[in-house]
């Protein structure tokens, strides 16, 4: 099936199942697609030494990129075939330092959709539920 004929949810589910490749950013910022349903996606993300900031910790851009990815992909799950989106605002709160080489769970959820905008939120947590980053995003619908 042509990507232009697939809904956003169909595309996200095809990526999650391995039928379609994940975006190349997932090589730079290691992310694996775990699940996609309408209005929600789940990734796994693992920072490594290539994400080091000048102080020796994980750069904040790691969490920001993961949050932009999950909020955007959650947005994509509520869009029709041939409809795209663009992030127009991303607000990320860093709650505690992201550890190296520890797989974290990233979840994105749509919280509101209008004719032109989708608002979503994202969480980056460990397996115990401890919060590392929280984000809200506004995406413009591009048809």
């Amino acid at each position: 099936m042509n990507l232009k004929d697939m809904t956003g949810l169909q595309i996200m589910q095809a990526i999650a199942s391995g039928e379609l490749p994940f975006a190349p950013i997932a090589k730079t910022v290691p992310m694996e697609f775990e699940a996609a349903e309408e209005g929600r996606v789940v990734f796994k993300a693992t920072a490594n030494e290539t994400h080091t900031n000048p102080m020796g910790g994980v750069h904040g851009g790691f969490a920001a990129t993961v949050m932009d990815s999950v909020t955007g992909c959650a947005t994509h799950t509520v869009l029709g075939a041939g409809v795209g989106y663009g992030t127009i605002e991303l607000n990320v709160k860093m709650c505690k330092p992201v550890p190296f080489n520890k797989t974290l769970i990233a979840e994105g959820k749509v919280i509101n959709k209008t004719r032109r905008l989708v608002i979503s939120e994202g969480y980056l947590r460990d397996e115990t539920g401890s919060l590392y980053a929280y984000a809200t995003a506004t995406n413009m619908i591009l048809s």
Side-chain angles (χ1 to χ4, degrees), residues 40-96:
R40 180 178 173 266
V41 297
V42 178
F43 295 177
K44 286 187 177 176
T46 309
N48 60 49
E49 288 70 23
T50 66
H51 306 110
T52 304
N53 65 26
M55 297 176 292
V58 174
H59 192 282
F62 175 88
T65 300
V66 173
M67 293 292 90
D68 188 42
S69 297
V70 295
T71 57
C73 287
T75 291
H76 206 170
T77 68
V78 299
L79 301 180
V83 179
Y85 68 91
T87 303
I88 60 173
E89 184 267 340
L90 178 67
N91 185 331
V92 181
K93 304 290 187 208
M94 308 298 187
C95 302
K96 63 183 187 178

Side-chain angles (χ1 to χ4, degrees), residues 12-143:
M12 294 297 106
Q13 288 175 332
I15 294 169
S17 71
E19 295 172 56
L20 289 175
F22 205 165
I25 190 69
K27 291 180 182 150
T28 305
V29 175
M31 292 180 276
E32 298 173 29
F33 221 121
E34 290 292 306
E37 59 190 52
E38 187 166 344
R40 180 178 173 266
V41 297
V42 178
F43 295 177
K44 286 187 177 176
T46 309
N48 60 49
E49 288 70 23
T50 66
H51 306 110
T52 304
N53 65 26
M55 297 176 292
V58 174
H59 192 282
F62 175 88
T65 300
V66 173
M67 293 292 90
D68 188 42
S69 297
V70 295
T71 57
C73 287
T75 291
H76 206 170
T77 68
V78 299
L79 301 180
V83 179
Y85 68 91
T87 303
I88 60 173
E89 184 267 340
L90 178 67
N91 185 331
V92 181
K93 304 290 187 208
M94 308 298 187
C95 302
K96 63 183 187 178
V98 170
F100 287 107
N101 303 311
K102 179 176 183 170
T103 299
L104 301 176
I105 301 154
E107 180 179 13
K109 295 179 182 178
V110 169
I111 56 176
N112 192 56
K113 179 181 183 266
T114 67
R115 193 171 53 82
R116 299 298 307 156
L117 299 174
V118 178
I119 300 170
S120 55
E121 62 185 0
Y123 304 88
L124 185 62
R125 295 184 167 114
D126 65 17
E127 70 283 349
T128 70
S130 185
L131 187 63
Y132 289 81
Y134 171 77
T136 55
T138 304
N139 290 290
M140 180 181 293
I141 298 171
L142 306 171
S143 27

Side-chain angles (χ1 to χ4, degrees), residues 1-8 10-11 20 76 80-84:
M1 184 182 274
N2 186 325
L3 285 178
K4 290 184 179 188
D5 297 328
M6 298 172 72
T7 67
Q10 289 171 323
I11 292 169
L20 289 175
H76 206 170
V83 179

